[in-house]
Amino acid sequence: MSSSSSSATITLPGDPPGGRRAMAVWAVGVSVYFVAVIFRTSLGVAGLDAADRFHVNASALSTFSILQLLVYAGMQIPVGLLVDRLGTKKVLTIGVVLFTAGQLGFAFSPSYGTALASRALLGCGDAMTFISVLRLGTRWFPARRGPLVAQLAGLVGMAGNLVSTLVIARLLHGVGWTAAFAGSALAGVVVLVLMLLFLKDHPEGHEPEPVPHQGAAYVRRQIAASWREPGTRLGLWVHFTTQFPAMVFLLLWGLPFLVQAQGLSRATAGELLTLVVLSNMVIGLVYGQIVARHHAARLPLALGTVGATALMWAVALVWPGEHAPMWLLVVLCAVLGACGPASMIGFDFARPANPPERQGTASGITNMGGFVASMTTLFLIGVLLDATGDDYTVAFSAVFVLQALGVGQILRLRGRVARRERERLVASRVETVHVPA
């Protein structure tokens, strides 16, 4: 599909105007997501400290992130339904309260059990942020800006990850566990105040049609209608296949892999984690511009990212000798930076396949993909590390299994999605011809 035809399909009558007001409101919403990502990924720089603090092995350590992601993934469809029903501001308010309470609870947890409960609470609040920010973007910006706005949201999230790797890590080793996590929780209070004062669900004159709620029947219809769209399912599998290698690396296992398996210092390992984040931010801008102009590039970008990630992991894991060379680890981390931007392409399949009243639900289904894959991989790596005596080569091979599963599903669905998109293109052109000036 050419870029000109893409623009014809996504320029809709009654589109929000965008502009500086839209950017200001969206910035408030995305700041909530920024803080949520800081809290989500703070464990990634504290994994070894958490193992010492709570006296747990690799499997138990991975349970922190698994539980957090399990709650996050399980909440995606309910949150999508809530956003469609209640709007962005109410859902984000609940989310901020929950993830701030979770971060604060983690700071003061005296035991492994209470720390687990705190991460679950954090995951519940975190689950309410990204879909809400995506919905906010569709309400305030023209549809043609959708891919770029979504990539920018992902970029801001990675900036939150950068804060974890640079700031939280230093606080942790400077002021200690409790002060670092409790101090960071203050950021949640700040964004809550900003949101309550300045956030608005939509611009004047662009109120969505009221959605009649009919209990369980409404919920079933929303989910079933979104799932019937091949674009929603393809979006889920693109997100599933692309996101998890970097998520697993940044959320928990990257630092132990680089320190224990590759013999790097914590400082050098932290720099490589930072490289993943910086690469993500740069590639996110590039992918957003490409997809906005050339929708036909969506699958090549996604599958190319999967292929490059698999290749670099394979080379790093089977490299002869005790440790992989530094140049290879640098390239691996730079390539992992493409995983987040590639996962955002999943939303560019789900978004045009669903009407505005189902955007939250469809985004929730799509967003489940990468987090289910991440949760599964975190669990498998932890179990395999314990079973093999910390053999990272065997443990990280779990990445290839999930990538193969996801690529198979993408290839199965791509033809159906292409046909549906062509049908929508023809229908929109016919509609445009008959719309009076």
Side-chain angles (χ1 to χ4, degrees):
M1 186 183 295
S2 70
S3 60
S4 60
S5 64
S6 297
S7 299
T9 62
I10 57 180
T11 303
L12 304 174
D15 259 3
R20 281 183 290 184
R21 173 83 193 283
M23 185 58 71
V25 173
W26 181 80
V28 173
V30 84
S31 69
V32 177
Y33 177 56
F34 171 75
V35 173
V37 174
I38 295 175
F39 292 1
R40 179 201 303 170
T41 57
S42 57
L43 183 61
V45 296
L48 298 176
D49 300 87
D52 292 337
R53 180 180 176 87
F54 300 113
H55 311 292
V56 294
N57 61 13
S59 296
L61 181 61
S62 66
T63 303
F64 277 124
S65 296
I66 291 167
L67 178 62
Q68 184 179 331
L69 293 184
L70 178 64
V71 172
Y72 187 104
M75 287 289 293
Q76 289 309 291
I77 293 177
V79 168
L81 291 163
L82 281 174
V83 171
D84 286 337
R85 180 64 187 162
L86 301 178
T88 300
K89 187 169 184 175
K90 291 179 182 177
V91 176
L92 276 179
T93 301
I94 298 169
V96 174
V97 171
L98 292 177
F99 69 61
T100 302
Q103 186 78 341
L104 197 59
F106 197 58
F108 294 99
S109 291
S111 66
Y112 178 67
T114 54
L116 274 179
S118 297
R119 296 307 287 187
L121 190 63
L122 192 156
C124 187
D126 182 17
M128 298 184 176
T129 58
F130 187 64
I131 293 175
S132 297
V133 169
L134 286 181
R135 169 68 171 252
L136 197 66
T138 62
R139 291 301 187 196
W140 280 91
F141 293 96
R144 66 181 180 276
R145 301 293 185 197
L148 183 58
V149 170
Q151 287 288 356
L152 285 173
L155 187 151
V156 171
M158 291 311 296
N161 205 321
L162 190 62
V163 170
S164 286
T165 58
L166 294 179
V167 179
I168 300 292
R170 291 180 183 177
L171 283 174
L172 192 63
H173 299 293
V175 300
W177 179 282
T178 300
F181 282 102
S184 66
L186 293 175
V189 178
V190 172
V191 294
L192 177 61
V193 172
L194 289 174
M195 187 186 60
L196 292 175
L197 290 176
F198 301 113
L199 191 71
K200 189 174 180 183
D201 281 356
H202 48 73
E204 282 79 6
H206 292 272
E207 294 81 0
E209 290 292 326
V211 179
H213 191 287
Q214 298 176 9
Y218 161 78
V219 171
R220 285 195 298 270
R221 280 199 304 273
Q222 284 285 91
I223 296 173
S226 296
W227 185 255
R228 276 196 300 270
E229 288 291 343
T232 305
R233 301 198 300 277
L234 180 58
L236 179 147
W237 284 108
V238 168
H239 200 270
F240 177 101
T241 313
T242 53
Q243 187 200 45
F244 79 92
M247 176 70 74
V248 167
F249 196 80
L250 290 171
L251 200 59
L252 184 61
W253 290 121
L255 189 69
F257 168 74
L258 294 171
V259 172
Q260 295 176 346
Q262 300 302 322
L264 302 180
S265 67
R266 283 194 180 209
T268 304
E271 290 171 358
L272 287 175
L273 292 179
T274 303
L275 175 61
V276 178
V277 177
L278 293 174
S279 172
N280 182 298
M281 296 171 75
V282 172
I283 294 172
L285 289 174
V286 175
Y287 277 20
Q289 293 285 355
I290 292 173
V291 173
R293 289 172 167 78
H294 309 284
H295 270 198
R298 289 172 298 173
L299 269 187
L301 283 177
L303 292 174
T305 301
V306 174
T309 305
L311 175 63
M312 294 313 304
W313 263 125
V315 174
L317 292 177
V318 302
W319 188 267
E322 189 177 356
H323 304 307
M326 178 57 73
W327 68 263
L328 179 58
L329 295 176
V330 168
V331 175
L332 170 65
C333 290
V335 170
L336 285 174
C339 292
S343 72
M344 299 300 298
I345 294 171
F347 298 101
D348 292 312
F349 286 105
R351 187 186 303 110
N354 291 273
E357 64 271 15
R358 286 208 310 267
Q359 289 295 318
T361 306
S363 296
I365 293 172
T366 301
N367 207 31
M368 283 180 63
F371 289 93
V372 169
S374 298
M375 178 179 59
T376 304
T377 310
L378 284 167
F379 171 75
L380 290 174
I381 290 174
V383 169
L384 290 170
L385 284 174
D386 285 339
T388 60
D390 291 339
D391 187 332
Y392 280 87
T393 300
V394 174
F396 274 87
S397 295
V399 170
F400 307 121
V401 177
L402 273 77
Q403 284 183 321
L405 171 63
V407 168
Q409 293 299 318
I410 290 171
L411 296 178
R412 182 178 68 85
L413 288 164
R414 62 177 179 172
R416 266 179 275 179
V417 172
R419 285 193 297 274
R420 291 297 291 270
E421 290 189 344
R422 284 195 297 270
E423 290 168 3
R424 282 195 296 272
L425 173 60
V426 171
S428 67
R429 284 174 172 170
V430 170
E431 228 174 82
T432 303
V433 168
H434 288 91
V435 170

